[in-house]
Amino acid sequence: MSEKFDVIVVGAGPAGTSCAYTAAKNGLKVLLIERGEYPGAKNVMGGILYRKQLEEIIPEFWKEAPIERPVVEQRFWFLDKESMITTSYKGLEWAKEPYNNFTVLRAKFDKWFANKAVEQGALLINETVATECIVEDGKVVGVRTDRPDGEVYADVVVLADGVNSLLAKQLGFHKEWKPNEVALTVMEVLKLPSKTINERFNVKDGQGVSVEIFGDATHGILGTGFLYTNKDSVNIGVGTTLSGMMKKKLKPYELLEHVKQHPMIQPYIEGSETQEYLAHLIPEGGFNSVPKLVGNGVIVTGDAAQFVNAIHREGSNMAMSSGKIAAETIVKAKETGDFSERTLDSYRTEIYDSFIGKDLKKYKDAAHTFEENPQYFQEYVPLMNQAMNTFFTVDGTPKWEKQKKIIAKMTAGRGKIGLAKDMYKAWKAVK
Amino acid sequence: MNILVCIKQVPDTKIIKVNPKTNTLDRSSAPAILNPYDAHAVEEAVRLREIHGGKVIVLSMGPPQARNAIRKCVEIGADEGYLISDRRFAGADTLATSYALFKAIEKLQHEQGIDLVLCGKHAIDGDTGQVGPGIARRMEIPPLTNVIKVEEVDLEGGKLKVRRKIENGYELIQSSLPCLLTVEKEINEVAYSPLPNMLRAARYEPTVWTVDDLDDVDIKQLGLKGSPTIVGKMWPPEKSSGAEMIEGEAKEQVEKLLAITLEKRELFGVKGGEK
Amino acid sequence: MNIEEYKDVWVFIEQRDGQIIDVGLELLGAGRDLADKLEVNLCGVLLGNGVKDSASDLFSYGADKVYVIDDPVLEKYRTETYMKAVGDLVRKYKPEIFLYGATSNGKDLASAVATEVMTGLTADTTLLDVNLEKRLFEASRPAFGGNIMATILCKKHRPQMATVRPKVMKKPEPEEGREGKIIEEKITLKEEDLRTKVLEIVRDAKKAVNLEEADVIVAAGKGIKDEKGFNMVKELAEVLNATVGASRDVVEAGLCGHDHQVGQTGLTVTPKIYFAIGISGAVQHVVGMQNSDMIIAINNDPEAAIFNAAHYGIVADAFQIVPMLTEEFRKALKGEEAGGVTANV
């Protein structure tokens, strides 16, 4: 007789593990199924971990979690071919408890996090692929795995199996993502001595920098690059929509090479050794792409539910919160023994009331705005760079004349009205 | 038939990296895995149990994390797992290792009876293959190394027949039971574990023994103290004068290489090794 | 244990079907150097049935003495008989150093004897020396996946034992007329008391690969990436009538069988020409092929360690240059075939 659990969680990433942790902590019998050799083995993330959501699950987690560096400075680089404009905020209060956010290596972090769930009593099995949900009388009652005798049952199955959630698709919760709904992120972990990182990024041990890169990094495709400092390595990567990449006929590694060799970026990573190369699909669709979230005996969380803020590159925090909310929903449902869609639907309403729903709604048009108006990346970033160049080059021209020149240049491309329209649209998209 | 399998958790040497400057191992880059040969030994034990009954008991020496390697064996189908873990075992060479394992086997032998001992051919982090025969000598049972097939087990007659891999072939050898086999990878394919095994393994807590749990242990024979061999020094391999580089465009390189090798063109006429 | 009592360098002389195999002779060559440095005798240990007459052959390879046990129970190798016989000899004559060929049986025996007489054993050594000041045997081998060499010492136990893979040491030229002493010993075991029995020995005569005897080897490393790359290497080997070798990565990636593996955990080879294609040159590989007469390395990384081991190096993309080589060799060797030299593909 196959075993029955209270909850089966498919996927031991941030969403799945948060759910397993919370459910187990509340006394539920939990099975966490991971397809990788261990949690984290197949996960890719730019490498920023936000404090707040994990802290709600594990208070003061930074005391034991394998974090790389607390981020004390966030930089934004707007690149043209041979120039860039930067803005940044550095705050040393972020170097102290409770910190703001952290750089992490997912392979280490996920393993640690899953182990915390195991400590709470969740059962973790690796190297096992859940191939389908077992549906009886319109209810999900368990999952079938790729292993012999591979059926296992539960009151509720939580799908946290990532952006390309096979199981959610099989249930008809969503269709194949459209190419503009998913981004491809490619990244490399580059080994560099911590001393070199400290010098190049102007920080001390135990302090990290996150850099978000706009403009020339992505060859004008919608998307951004990033550069994050770990202890003795940096993560460099670039994410763009799949559709943009298809249009430009670019291969992912070509794009990453372009970023790495950019004259503004190259000095930061010079002499480093590539440790890992990773590529991963990330949902970028936002609010408009969120699938059906709840069914009889089933809940969808994390990337599988497209809970990603494409603009602010936040996914793991939404994943963790959604996993936690899913677990709390199930704990409540357990009290009545009713796991129908109607009962579990409180998950959906809670998600929409939380920052996840609010953020997704806020930015719901952003991706499309940028997608349909490539001039934001193709034209404005170079224009801004030229403007700055004109402004700062010391050549005896009075400043007011320079300003005139700048305005003339900016409007030459799209005309004043076009420019104003674009600005308004962009402002509306991200405000 | 109770079968004891000795296993080891090893760093995955496929992934392990050496820092060329300091010559130290970057162990963080190497995940710990069950020694691949040992997985085949456990698989063979499970198959024999399916035919002859009894149980499969796994034994390992190592740090507490080695419990994960034992769980892996439970996934494959082992019934029980024991880990001997104690600082006093640390730094053991093959002689001290076989002693420690032998003391644990003695205890298991006494408690439940052991009919057959299996080991992997060697561990991939040392490649020595010395512990298995060492254990057999201490148990005073015959070792049959490099086994590629168990031909026959005659429990009533108290004997078995195996194929043992030797250079350019194999030998068929018969032994009385109990005996110790070390197995090659060819002996079987490790089956994809059924889900109930995975669930059992995830919950399984191996029994952990320290030195004090074993009987009549001569502490002097354990760990670093009990190891006759020590590592004297380590050094990067010598750099020879190096190759004469053949420069130029690809076409030029090909021409130059042909000129050099075709001086020995007679070698390319008759196939040396293959018949 | 009184270490002072232990003298002489011993070599286990393995025989198959009564014929002495080369590894024992190779080790007599290496052992001779050690014995000369220590100013002691070099002794062979020869066990078998009807092997006594072969004992005197060992003198010309450098042995001063040969311990012989000639008995029907020793006809075929068995751990229990050989371990007992060798153990008795060690206890009686007390050698200082004892070398074994790292063959299936040699490794098996050395491991059992080490426990029998309670001493240290270093496996698969590639470099042997003595520290005269401390009078210690220094046995070195690649360690930890093969990127570093480690010297293993055995300070307080004797004999100091090591196994050495076939072909790692050079077989010495026999010195005709050299003489020595044969010492015959007896074994007390009787067949009916033994627990193991060799029923049959099957030697595979038409083995698909025999790297150890190949004159030309074309070997692939992980730089060839996948099956396509491996086939490209195979094609070159075919044109050259060569045997295909591989590094550990290639074998573990499942591109070819373990029979093709060259290196510490594979075979040691000494062909006339060794092509290393896309092989990085980790020590664990190099120890298996460094005694080849001519080593030609092709690698796209000019810093690759393989260029230190090679005689000729080409920095190039294998995927570009190997097909060119195949084509040019095919053209160049075509004439020969017509001229009467038979190819055997």
Side-chain angles (χ1 to χ4, degrees):
Chain A
M1 176 59 202
S2 301
E3 206 172 328
K4 186 174 174 258
F5 290 81
D6 293 326
V7 193
I8 295 171
V9 182
V10 181
T17 299
S18 299
C19 180
Y21 180 95
T22 310
K25 198 176 177 185
N26 282 286
L28 297 192
K29 187 178 169 191
V30 181
L31 176 64
L32 179 56
I33 300 176
E34 166 60 32
R35 72 190 165 120
E37 223 173 304
Y38 55 88
K42 297 210 165 174
N43 290 337
V44 177
M45 178 172 77
I48 297 292
L49 173 74
Y50 298 86
R51 167 178 46 91
K52 194 164 171 291
Q53 286 73 29
L54 182 55
E55 198 188 5
E56 283 169 6
I57 300 165
I58 303 178
E60 301 198 326
F61 66 87
W62 54 82
K63 291 194 164 143
E64 55 166 319
I67 55 168
E68 292 291 312
R69 293 171 186 246
V71 174
V72 300
E73 183 179 359
Q74 292 184 338
R75 296 182 190 172
F76 299 89
W77 292 352
F78 300 89
L79 297 184
D80 195 7
K81 295 226 159 8
E82 289 186 311
S83 62
M84 71 172 171
I85 300 166
T86 74
T87 71
S88 74
Y89 176 78
K90 184 169 184 174
L92 288 180
E93 74 277 9
W94 287 352
K96 292 181 288 230
E97 287 188 9
Y99 306 104
N100 182 41
N101 51 36
F102 308 88
T103 54
V104 292
L105 290 171
R106 279 288 294 274
K108 286 184 194 167
F109 175 80
D110 285 13
K111 208 172 171 177
W112 170 83
F113 193 26
N115 199 41
K116 297 306 285 181
V118 170
E119 280 174 21
Q120 292 297 332
L123 205 60
L124 167 69
I125 60 169
N126 296 312
E127 296 176 90
T128 302
V129 181
T131 52
E132 59 182 327
C133 289
I134 303 170
V135 182
E136 280 171 16
D137 304 328
K139 277 191 298 200
V140 172
V141 294
V143 296
R144 201 162 277 128
T145 67
D146 62 341
R147 293 196 171 268
D149 303 326
E151 289 170 9
V152 60
Y153 294 86
D155 289 332
V156 184
V157 173
V158 175
L159 304 183
D161 52 341
V163 56
N164 209 15
S165 175
L166 192 71
L167 300 190
K169 239 179 276 174
Q170 282 170 353
L171 293 174
F173 280 19
H174 66 74
K175 300 186 183 76
E176 287 286 344
W177 303 123
K178 289 181 218 125
N180 65 353
E181 285 175 335
V182 273
L184 185 69
T185 289
V186 285
M187 64 167 279
E188 281 181 358
V189 181
L190 304 175
K191 198 105 184 139
L192 268 180
S194 59
K195 215 176 133 231
T196 310
I197 294 174
N198 292 354
E199 283 165 13
R200 290 184 187 172
F201 289 86
N202 190 28
V203 287
K204 295 192 156 120
D205 282 343
Q207 302 180 356
V209 175
S210 71
V211 185
E212 302 294 337
I213 304 164
F214 305 90
D216 192 52
T218 55
H219 268 308
I221 307 167
L222 174 62
T224 57
F226 56 88
L227 180 60
Y228 302 144
T229 57
N230 302 320
K231 266 188 199 133
D232 51 7
S233 61
V234 298
N235 289 358
I236 186 164
V238 57
T240 65
T241 56
L242 213 49
S243 54
M245 205 143 357
M246 281 153 70
K247 247 183 252 165
K248 291 248 171 174
K249 297 203 170 73
L250 270 175
K251 298 203 175 74
Y253 67 86
E254 290 171 345
L255 197 57
L256 185 57
E257 251 341 275
H258 177 75
V259 175
K260 283 172 68 181
Q261 278 162 18
H262 193 285
M264 293 293 127
I265 296 172
Q266 195 272 341
Y268 284 88
I269 57 172
E270 196 167 9
S272 61
E273 188 197 328
T274 303
Q275 226 182 357
E276 261 179 291
Y277 172 89
L278 308 152
H280 191 55
L281 289 173
I282 291 179
E284 295 275 357
F287 189 79
N288 298 331
S289 310
V290 172
K292 184 166 151 62
L293 294 176
V294 176
N296 289 321
V298 61
I299 295 180
V300 189
T301 63
D303 280 8
Q306 290 264 10
F307 293 155
V308 168
N309 176 346
I311 299 302
H312 290 217
R313 195 184 289 292
E314 292 171 19
S316 63
N317 55 345
M318 293 191 178
M320 286 182 191
S321 284
S322 68
K324 180 169 172 269
I325 294 169
E328 288 162 353
T329 308
I330 298 163
V331 170
K332 246 181 269 157
K334 180 81 184 167
E335 287 165 14
T336 59
D338 175 7
F339 304 102
S340 66
E341 181 172 345
R342 209 145 48 113
T343 313
L344 297 181
D345 197 52
S346 64
Y347 167 73
R348 191 179 56 82
T349 50
E350 265 195 65
I351 288 283
Y352 285 139
D353 285 345
S354 74
F355 78 98
I356 301 174
K358 285 178 187 151
D359 277 10
L360 287 176
K361 262 182 226 158
K362 184 168 159 193
Y363 299 115
K364 78 181 156 87
D365 295 320
H368 296 293
T369 304
F370 289 122
E371 172 83 357
E372 283 151 23
N373 299 277
Q375 64 272 16
Y376 287 103
F377 291 99
Q378 283 170 353
E379 292 176 21
Y380 295 147
V381 174
L383 274 174
M384 279 155 63
N385 272 274
Q386 283 167 29
M388 286 297 173
N389 174 283
T390 310
F391 199 74
F392 287 116
T393 305
V394 179
D395 57 3
T397 321
K399 283 273 188 289
W400 66 268
E401 261 182 47
K402 285 190 174 178
Q403 276 182 20
K404 241 168 48 183
K405 269 190 195 165
I406 293 166
I407 292 166
K409 255 189 197 165
M410 303 231 348
T411 51
R414 275 187 57 80
K416 272 185 192 155
I417 294 177
L419 181 73
K421 267 190 189 160
D422 287 347
M423 289 302 171
Y424 176 71
K425 265 192 276 181
W427 173 76
K428 247 192 86 179
V430 299
K431 74 172 185 300
Chain B
M1 179 165 72
N2 287 347
I3 307 170
L4 182 105
V5 190
C6 296
I7 63 121
K8 185 181 184 185
Q9 189 177 49
V10 295
D12 193 343
T13 50
K14 270 184 299 189
I15 299 168
I16 202 161
K17 285 179 203 143
V18 176
N19 181 331
K21 286 193 188 109
T22 59
N23 239 327
T24 49
L25 297 175
D26 187 3
R27 280 189 185 272
S28 62
S29 63
I33 56 168
L34 171 64
N35 178 41
Y37 290 94
D38 300 348
H40 291 274
V42 176
E43 175 76 22
E44 194 62 22
V46 169
R47 291 180 187 201
L48 290 171
R49 176 195 63 194
E50 258 141 48
I51 302 166
H52 303 285
K55 57 182 172 181
V56 174
I57 304 162
V58 168
L59 171 66
S60 188
M61 178 173 90
Q65 304 89 281
R67 282 178 299 186
N68 287 330
I70 292 178
R71 289 192 186 104
K72 191 86 203 169
C73 299
V74 174
E75 286 180 12
I76 299 171
D79 297 286
E80 290 174 15
Y82 294 81
L83 175 69
I84 55 171
S85 188
D86 196 310
R87 268 163 207 265
R88 287 171 282 182
F89 293 131
D93 72 357
T94 53
L95 194 75
T97 301
S98 70
Y99 179 70
L101 290 171
F102 165 65
K103 294 315 284 185
I105 294 171
E106 256 189 341
K107 182 171 165 114
L108 290 165
Q109 171 78 290
H110 181 71
E111 284 174 1
Q112 9 197 350
I114 305 290
D115 302 293
L116 181 65
V117 181
L118 296 186
C119 301
K121 173 177 90 160
H122 62 221
I124 58 167
D125 61 343
D127 296 335
T128 71
Q130 289 165 196
V131 173
I135 292 170
R137 168 63 192 85
R138 292 178 187 277
M139 292 178 71
E140 297 183 353
I141 61 173
L144 308 173
T145 52
N146 307 79
V147 171
I148 50 171
K149 191 174 182 196
V150 176
E151 291 270 358
E152 192 186 316
V153 178
D154 174 4
L155 266 182
E156 274 173 30
K159 57 180 196 272
L160 57 56
K161 270 183 215 164
V162 301
R163 276 190 197 188
R164 190 178 161 246
K165 187 177 177 177
I166 52 173
E167 285 75 12
N168 291 338
Y170 68 87
E171 65 182 24
L172 187 63
I173 185 162
Q174 176 184 292
S175 171
S176 62
L177 287 170
C179 62
L180 179 143
L181 315 181
T182 77
V183 309
E184 298 270 354
K185 282 185 182 173
E186 295 99 299
I187 195 164
N188 56 41
E189 289 276 330
V190 179
Y192 196 47
S193 306
L195 192 66
N197 284 17
M198 301 296 292
L199 296 174
R200 179 163 183 266
R203 292 191 176 104
Y204 190 76
E205 273 308 322
T207 306
V208 180
W209 283 339
T210 68
V211 172
D212 303 325
D213 294 309
L214 306 178
D215 304 319
D216 308 320
V217 178
D218 174 9
I219 300 288
K220 289 196 299 295
Q221 293 195 51
L222 292 178
L224 202 56
K225 246 190 267 171
S227 299
T229 59
I230 55 159
V231 177
K233 58 175 175 191
M234 292 217 206
W235 78 95
E238 253 172 74
K239 292 206 169 165
S240 68
S241 51
E244 182 186 316
M245 300 309 286
I246 301 174
E247 314 278 352
E249 292 293 304
K251 197 162 167 268
E252 242 178 301
Q253 290 176 318
V254 168
E255 274 168 23
K256 287 181 190 165
L257 184 61
L258 246 69
I260 295 163
T261 48
L262 286 175
E263 277 178 28
K264 298 172 187 277
R265 58 177 63 210
E266 74 282 356
L267 295 175
F268 306 133
V270 182
K271 205 150 198 178
E274 296 189 29
K275 283 171 198 149
Chain C
M1 171 175 289
N2 184 0
I3 286 177
E4 312 276 303
E5 290 175 6
Y6 288 75
K7 290 269 174 331
D8 294 353
V9 175
W10 283 19
V11 172
F12 176 70
I13 306 294
E14 184 176 346
Q15 48 84 11
R16 269 176 215 161
D17 310 323
Q19 299 293 309
I20 288 168
I21 61 167
D22 273 354
V23 66
L25 307 178
E26 293 159 17
L27 294 189
L28 284 177
R32 189 67 261 168
D33 292 342
L34 300 175
D36 289 345
K37 282 186 189 164
L38 293 165
E39 299 176 352
V40 294
N41 288 315
L42 174 67
C43 312
V45 175
L46 180 61
L47 276 53
N49 185 21
V51 293
K52 202 167 72 184
D53 295 344
S54 318
S56 53
D57 298 348
L58 300 173
F59 301 132
S60 59
Y61 288 96
D64 301 309
K65 293 183 193 169
V66 179
Y67 295 98
V68 178
I69 307 180
D70 206 322
D71 192 293
V73 299
L74 296 172
E75 177 160 343
K76 288 176 186 136
Y77 175 80
R78 273 178 291 184
T79 320
E80 58 177 331
T81 54
Y82 274 58
M83 174 183 76
K84 177 74 169 61
V86 172
D88 285 347
L89 286 175
V90 167
R91 281 183 283 262
K92 185 165 175 187
Y93 294 102
K94 301 185 173 19
E96 183 171 6
I97 293 173
F98 199 164
L99 308 177
Y100 303 75
T103 59
S104 302
N105 291 343
K107 291 182 80 152
D108 181 296
L109 175 63
S111 305
V113 171
T115 318
E116 168 80 17
V117 302
M118 292 289 169
T119 192
L121 168 64
T122 307
D124 295 333
T125 54
T126 56
L127 205 63
L128 306 176
D129 203 355
V130 285
N131 178 337
L132 282 176
E133 203 182 308
K134 293 181 180 153
R135 206 176 170 91
L136 270 182
F137 177 45
E138 295 181 330
S140 304
R141 57 168 301 190
F144 300 115
N147 284 312
I148 342 177
M149 292 290 290
T151 301
I152 312 296
L153 307 172
C154 175
K155 290 184 173 168
K156 293 177 188 155
H157 294 71
R158 294 292 178 273
Q160 307 162 86
M161 308 211 303
T163 63
V164 184
R165 304 174 64 92
K167 298 222 179 187
V168 169
M169 302 294 168
K170 276 230 150 55
K171 181 169 141 187
E173 288 300 319
E175 192 186 323
E176 297 305 330
R178 208 175 164 284
E179 284 183 16
K181 197 170 151 197
I182 291 175
I183 298 150
E184 270 200 81
E185 284 289 332
K186 293 263 176 286
I187 186 164
T188 50
L189 297 172
K190 287 195 181 62
E191 187 62 50
E192 54 271 27
D193 301 330
L194 297 176
R195 290 178 287 181
T196 53
K197 190 170 186 171
V198 177
L199 304 171
E200 191 186 0
I201 293 181
V202 180
R203 301 245 185 234
D204 194 353
K206 51 176 192 336
K207 238 183 140 220
V209 214
N210 194 348
L211 275 178
E212 282 165 306
E213 280 154 36
D215 279 335
V216 183
I217 292 175
V218 181
K222 71 173 162 203
I224 59 101
K225 294 195 176 85
D226 51 20
E227 197 164 350
K228 203 173 137 221
F230 189 68
N231 286 338
M232 173 183 86
V233 170
K234 267 200 333 213
E235 205 180 331
L236 175 61
E238 242 160 62
V239 169
L240 294 176
N241 275 318
T243 307
V244 176
S247 72
R248 184 175 182 156
D249 300 299
V250 171
V251 173
E252 295 201 343
L255 294 172
C256 61
H258 188 257
D259 300 356
H260 291 269
Q261 188 175 326
V262 174
Q264 176 84 354
T265 47
L267 294 160
T268 305
V269 297
T270 53
K272 302 281 193 315
I273 304 181
Y274 189 92
F275 289 88
I277 298 174
I279 289 176
S280 63
V283 199
Q284 95 91 19
H285 182 80
V286 170
V287 296
M289 45 66 91
Q290 61 192 356
N291 292 337
S292 306
D293 289 352
M294 183 196 283
I295 298 169
I296 297 160
I298 298 174
N299 201 300
N300 62 359
D301 175 8
E303 302 295 317
I306 191 73
F307 291 125
N308 293 322
H311 301 98
Y312 296 99
I314 293 183
V315 177
D317 176 5
F319 286 88
Q320 187 198 355
I321 207 157
V322 173
M324 288 170 73
L325 274 174
T326 308
E327 199 42 47
E328 291 304 310
F329 271 119
R330 184 174 282 144
K331 276 189 226 158
L333 295 170
K334 209 172 176 185
E336 250 109 312
E337 234 175 296
V341 182
T342 33
N344 182 8
V345 182

